[in-house]
Amino acid sequence: MADTKDLEARIKALEQKVAMTEDIEAIKRLKHKYFRCLDSKLWDELAECFTEDATTSYTDGKYSFRGVEAIIGFLKKSLGPDTVVSMHQGHQPEIDITSEKTAKGIWTSEAGLIITDRNVSTREVNFYYDEYVKIGGQWKIKHTGYRRLFDEAWDRGETKSLRLIANMFAPRKD
Amino acid sequence: MADTKDLEARIKALEQKVAMTEDIEAIKRLKHKYFRCLDSKLWDELAECFTEDATTSYTDGKYSFRGVEAIIGFLKKSLGPDTVVSMHQGHQPEIDITSEKTAKGIWTSEAGLIITDRNVSTREVNFYYDEYVKIGGQWKIKHTGYRRLFDEAWDRGETKSLRLIANMFAPRKD
Amino acid sequence: MADTKDLEARIKALEQKVAMTEDIEAIKRLKHKYFRCLDSKLWDELAECFTEDATTSYTDGKYSFRGVEAIIGFLKKSLGPDTVVSMHQGHQPEIDITSEKTAKGIWTSEAGLIITDRNVSTREVNFYYDEYVKIGGQWKIKHTGYRRLFDEAWDRGETKSLRLIANMFAPRKD
């Protein structure tokens, strides 16, 4: 016959493992929301992803900001115009839950811009090094930054046949 | 000494959380199978991913179908020929289990075609909005559709050096 | 009043499910580390991902190796030079835990090289078929290999405007 004290210890161990699994999924989802809102130009939803005092070191530290307002201000200025179609996709998460309310994550990404008024395309692959904290039951980005694997740009006009068929931010013709 | 009624409540809470985690993984895997079968032209396996009465609104609703037969018919016609090499990769799932047998999911994708007989390439990035249901213990796609972030096409012949080295659907030379 | 024997059976079922979820996450993470270390040219960390007697069948079996030393030797020779910027991103895992210590996985990938001294780019999409084993509590790659969906290459010099802005392995100018 199983002892209830022993059963309780096993339940407690399970509760800790399940909480860790849920935290890892919540952090992946936070990052997925971050990239989706970034490319959808949903600035208010994007701001929800960060802590108030969040910091960034984008582009090997070239774009370092402190505070969610400064970060959103920078992103909105860089990626906000309808002439900038941005794609940012995060892959290959390696998430470490470091305590009940803190975590670290490494990701790789593939990203690129189509800048329609200058007819330029860019493409880059980066490694992100993030820190997360849990505030009021919600995981938030406390720090995000990336090292570039590579970054390239070219003039779309060189490929005469290249047509942009659809673009979510194109002026509507109706 | 722990009370067995209390322990049972904790076990029940764990069972619900574990079921949700398993459902999320099963839905991710369903979508992964969908994209793999699509690009591998495995139409029977692809059909297994859908409910009988599934609906689509591909390409901002331009390609809307009802019923698995109509959907597979469309996909087979569009992507079936050996002259169409298709790549569809789904990323960044945000899955919500909305009840024991229903769920919603948002994904982003990167996709592209190489149409070998016309020597054309396409590339597009989309946001998917899916609905899933669990039937007989298996998650299925009840609705899938996407809004395009962008979509572009070009003539591969413009890049004189471009060589297609391997292609799973190329005619075999033996 | 719940019977402790019944509670223990439910706890045991949960322990098995939770272990499976943890194993799936650990295997995903193993593959993510593999790709990150490959592109970062971290050969010692990369070697940790394999069993001693691991085998490969890269490129439809063209590059088949036995033993971690032979595998790392091949990867280092192919991708090691600073003139090779490699990107390998793994997507869409379908992981099957086949026993307590064995598993299988299917992945798709997008990969490409920028070979700076020859000014060549390549791009390929593959389906991986992997086998994993758990040794001393750690999941390792026992076999990895892929079938190519397609593989293409072109001369970067054809696009006169194309500039490689950043590259992690470029000679430092300081």
Side-chain angles (χ1 to χ4, degrees):
Chain A
M1 190 76 174
D3 177 291
T4 55
K5 200 171 166 187
D6 177 52
L7 293 185
E8 196 186 16
R10 287 167 70 183
I11 290 170
K12 191 162 187 178
L14 279 168
E15 285 168 341
Q16 286 170 344
K17 286 175 183 221
V18 166
M20 193 170 280
T21 292
E22 288 182 334
D23 284 338
I24 291 172
E25 179 64 18
I27 289 167
K28 287 180 186 173
R29 193 172 166 155
L30 167 69
K31 187 80 171 174
H32 296 170
K33 177 181 171 179
Y34 165 85
F35 282 126
R36 176 176 54 79
C37 293
L38 189 63
D39 291 344
S40 303
K41 307 187 197 294
L42 295 169
W43 310 112
D44 293 344
E45 274 192 62
L46 185 64
E48 292 167 15
C49 299
F50 289 99
T51 63
E52 275 302 312
D53 63 347
T55 54
T56 67
S57 58
Y58 294 127
T59 316
D60 298 304
K62 188 175 169 188
Y63 300 111
S64 293
F65 297 96
R66 179 172 296 275
V68 62
E69 260 186 74
I71 295 167
I72 299 296
F74 164 71
L75 294 173
K76 205 168 171 174
K77 193 179 161 192
S78 314
L79 305 176
D82 278 354
T83 49
V84 179
V85 182
S86 83
M87 178 199 89
H88 293 81
Q89 298 186 333
H91 307 303
Q92 302 185 172
E94 296 173 74
I95 310 292
D96 279 313
I97 307 296
T98 49
S99 80
E100 265 185 40
K101 298 192 186 300
T102 59
K104 291 188 178 191
I106 304 176
W107 298 74
T108 187
S109 72
E110 190 178 11
L113 306 179
I114 299 173
I115 304 169
T116 56
D117 56 351
R118 291 171 39 214
N119 213 22
V120 163
S121 268
T122 71
R123 178 169 170 261
E124 56 187 302
V125 171
N126 300 308
F127 293 112
Y128 280 78
Y129 298 88
D130 290 353
E131 291 170 42
Y132 312 99
V133 292
K134 202 176 190 176
I135 298 176
Q138 295 286 314
W139 285 98
K140 304 272 182 183
I141 298 167
K142 184 185 165 58
H143 177 76
T144 186
Y146 58 79
R147 292 191 59 201
R148 281 180 297 183
L149 181 59
F150 70 87
D151 182 2
E152 58 184 2
W154 64 96
D155 172 6
R156 293 169 63 84
E158 258 196 85
T159 307
K160 301 302 171 203
S161 61
L162 180 61
R163 287 175 308 129
L164 191 60
I165 297 162
N167 160 9
M168 195 177 274
F169 302 104
R172 294 184 61 162
K173 282 161 197 151
D174 55 18
Chain B
M1 191 75 173
D3 177 292
T4 55
K5 202 172 165 185
D6 178 53
L7 293 185
E8 196 187 15
R10 288 167 70 183
I11 291 169
K12 192 164 184 175
L14 280 168
E15 285 167 343
Q16 286 169 344
K17 287 175 182 218
V18 165
M20 193 170 280
T21 293
E22 288 181 334
D23 284 338
I24 291 172
E25 179 64 18
I27 289 168
K28 288 181 186 174
R29 192 170 166 158
L30 168 68
K31 187 80 172 175
H32 296 170
K33 176 181 171 179
Y34 165 85
F35 282 125
R36 175 175 55 79
C37 292
L38 190 63
D39 292 343
S40 303
K41 306 185 197 295
L42 296 169
W43 310 110
D44 293 344
E45 273 191 64
L46 185 65
E48 293 168 13
C49 299
F50 289 99
T51 62
E52 275 303 311
D53 63 347
T55 55
T56 68
S57 60
Y58 295 127
T59 317
D60 300 302
K62 187 175 170 189
Y63 300 110
S64 293
F65 297 96
R66 180 171 295 277
V68 61
E69 260 187 74
I71 295 167
I72 299 295
F74 164 72
L75 294 173
K76 205 167 170 174
K77 193 179 162 192
S78 313
L79 305 176
D82 279 353
T83 51
V84 179
V85 182
S86 82
M87 178 199 89
H88 293 80
Q89 298 186 332
H91 308 303
Q92 303 185 170
E94 296 173 75
I95 310 292
D96 278 314
I97 307 297
T98 50
S99 81
E100 265 186 39
K101 297 190 186 302
T102 59
K104 290 189 176 189
I106 305 176
W107 297 73
T108 187
S109 72
E110 190 179 10
L113 306 179
I114 299 172
I115 304 169
T116 56
D117 56 352
R118 292 170 41 215
N119 212 23
V120 162
S121 268
T122 72
R123 178 168 170 259
E124 57 188 298
V125 172
N126 300 309
F127 293 112
Y128 280 79
Y129 298 89
D130 290 353
E131 291 169 42
Y132 311 99
V133 292
K134 202 175 189 176
I135 298 176
Q138 294 287 313
W139 285 98
K140 304 272 183 183
I141 298 168
K142 184 185 165 59
H143 176 77
T144 187
Y146 59 80
R147 292 191 59 203
R148 281 179 296 180
L149 180 61
F150 70 87
D151 183 1
E152 59 184 0
W154 64 96
D155 173 5
R156 294 169 62 85
E158 259 196 84
T159 307
K160 301 303 171 201
S161 61
L162 181 61
R163 287 175 307 129
L164 191 59
I165 298 162
N167 160 10
M168 195 177 274
F169 303 104
R172 294 183 61 159
K173 283 159 196 153
D174 56 17
Chain C
M1 191 76 174
D3 177 291
T4 56
K5 199 171 166 186
D6 178 52
L7 293 185
E8 195 186 17
R10 288 166 70 183
I11 290 169
K12 191 163 186 176
L14 280 168
E15 285 168 342
Q16 285 170 344
K17 287 175 183 219
V18 166
M20 193 170 278
T21 293
E22 289 181 333
D23 284 339
I24 291 172
E25 179 63 18
I27 288 167
K28 288 181 186 173
R29 191 171 167 156
L30 167 69
K31 188 79 171 175
H32 295 169
K33 176 181 172 178
Y34 166 85
F35 282 126
R36 174 175 56 79
C37 293
L38 190 62
D39 292 343
S40 303
K41 307 185 197 295
L42 296 169
W43 309 110
D44 292 344
E45 274 192 62
L46 185 65
E48 293 168 14
C49 298
F50 290 99
T51 63
E52 274 302 311
D53 63 347
T55 54
T56 68
S57 59
Y58 295 127
T59 316
D60 299 302
K62 188 175 169 189
Y63 300 111
S64 293
F65 296 96
R66 179 171 297 275
V68 62
E69 259 186 76
I71 296 167
I72 299 294
F74 164 71
L75 294 173
K76 205 168 171 173
K77 192 178 161 192
S78 313
L79 304 177
D82 279 352
T83 50
V84 180
V85 182
S86 83
M87 179 199 88
H88 293 80
Q89 298 185 333
H91 308 302
Q92 303 184 173
E94 296 174 75
I95 310 292
D96 278 314
I97 306 296
T98 50
S99 80
E100 265 185 40
K101 297 191 186 301
T102 59
K104 290 188 178 190
I106 304 176
W107 297 74
T108 187
S109 72
E110 190 178 10
L113 307 179
I114 300 174
I115 304 170
T116 56
D117 56 350
R118 291 171 40 214
N119 212 23
V120 163
S121 268
T122 71
R123 178 168 170 261
E124 56 188 299
V125 172
N126 300 309
F127 293 112
Y128 280 79
Y129 298 88
D130 290 353
E131 291 170 42
Y132 311 100
V133 292
K134 201 175 190 176
I135 297 176
Q138 295 286 314
W139 285 98
K140 304 273 182 182
I141 299 167
K142 184 185 165 59
H143 176 77
T144 186
Y146 59 80
R147 290 191 60 202
R148 282 179 295 181
L149 180 60
F150 70 86
D151 182 1
E152 57 185 2
W154 64 95
D155 173 5
R156 294 170 62 85
E158 260 198 84
T159 307
K160 301 303 172 202
S161 61
L162 180 60
R163 287 175 307 130
L164 190 60
I165 299 163
N167 160 8
M168 194 176 276
F169 302 104
R172 293 184 62 159
K173 282 161 197 152
D174 54 18

